[in-house]
Amino acid sequence: MNGWQIALLVILIVMLVAIVVLYFLGKKAQKRKEEQDAQLAASAQTISMLIIDKKRMRLKDAGLPQAVIDQTPKLMRRSKLPIVKAKVGPKVMSLIADEAIFAEIPVKKEVKATVSGLYITGVKGLRGPIEKPQKMGFRAKLQAKYNKLNSEAQAEKASKKK
């Protein structure tokens, strides 16, 4: 065997070992996630709240209690989380929203939210259904921007002709 074949064989073996390790780590992480979801579901309660604001913010800038910040892993402290400021009863609170429902949460509206501690796991409209935002792809966004600019340019031309 020449040098290239040996190098390719070694790379193939290393990649195969990495795939097997990632498979087992993924299964372990999935079991852990299922256990956490079961705990969240067990302690969940439905609360009506008025959504004041929603943003993606760093944990330390979100206004969460210091105990929450201390319990989070150091790598998570730097990442941005979906934070929702809501009025629950007479109290204004900062809550962490689930990534899957963050886009659905309406601002300046009253909702019934399923909350587990400081974590919002579900949202329903209090006075009717919640409008789900339409997801636009990259091409659709460019097309909409083009149409807007084109209509503005035509309106400008028409006003100059008069």
Side-chain angles (χ1 to χ4, degrees):
M1 275 199 231
N2 65 22
W4 288 104
Q5 290 175 340
I6 294 172
L8 287 175
L9 188 62
V10 169
I11 291 172
L12 182 67
I13 291 171
V14 169
M15 288 178 60
L16 198 61
V17 169
I19 289 172
V20 170
V21 167
L22 286 174
Y23 172 77
F24 286 110
L25 287 176
K27 282 183 86 173
K28 186 176 177 182
Q30 186 175 7
K31 284 181 185 176
R32 197 175 318 133
K33 172 81 169 120
E34 288 171 358
E35 290 171 7
Q36 289 173 351
D37 288 344
Q39 288 177 346
L40 282 175
S43 66
Q45 52 186 325
T46 304
I47 300 173
S48 64
M49 60 177 66
L50 173 69
I51 306 298
I52 298 171
D53 189 22
K54 68 176 189 174
K55 290 182 188 175
R56 292 192 182 277
M57 304 174 81
R58 288 211 162 93
L59 202 58
K60 63 181 178 183
D61 300 333
L64 294 169
Q66 189 62 37
V68 173
I69 296 171
D70 292 340
Q71 287 178 352
T72 55
K74 291 195 178 193
L75 291 175
M76 282 295 294
R77 292 181 195 173
R78 296 183 54 99
S79 65
K80 291 187 176 184
L81 295 174
I83 303 294
V84 175
K85 289 214 184 276
K87 185 174 182 186
V88 182
K91 201 174 184 184
V92 175
M93 298 177 66
S94 293
L95 303 165
I96 302 171
D98 191 11
E99 285 286 345
I101 63 153
F102 183 67
E104 297 175 11
I105 298 174
V107 179
K108 307 264 194 262
K109 296 219 172 148
E110 222 173 321
V111 296
K112 273 197 183 246
T114 306
V115 179
S116 179
L118 290 176
Y119 196 69
I120 301 174
T121 56
V123 176
K124 294 178 186 167
L126 195 63
R127 294 168 182 44
I130 294 176
E131 302 130 16
K132 296 190 177 182
Q134 297 248 341
K135 281 206 167 190
M136 290 177 63
F138 180 71
R139 183 176 170 89
K141 285 180 188 176
L142 284 178
Q143 185 67 40
K145 197 173 191 178
Y146 171 76
N147 291 339
K148 180 183 171 190
L149 291 173
N150 195 20
S151 64
E152 288 174 1
Q154 288 177 353
E156 193 174 308
K157 278 184 181 178
S159 66
K160 284 183 179 179
K161 285 183 179 180
K162 290 182 180 182

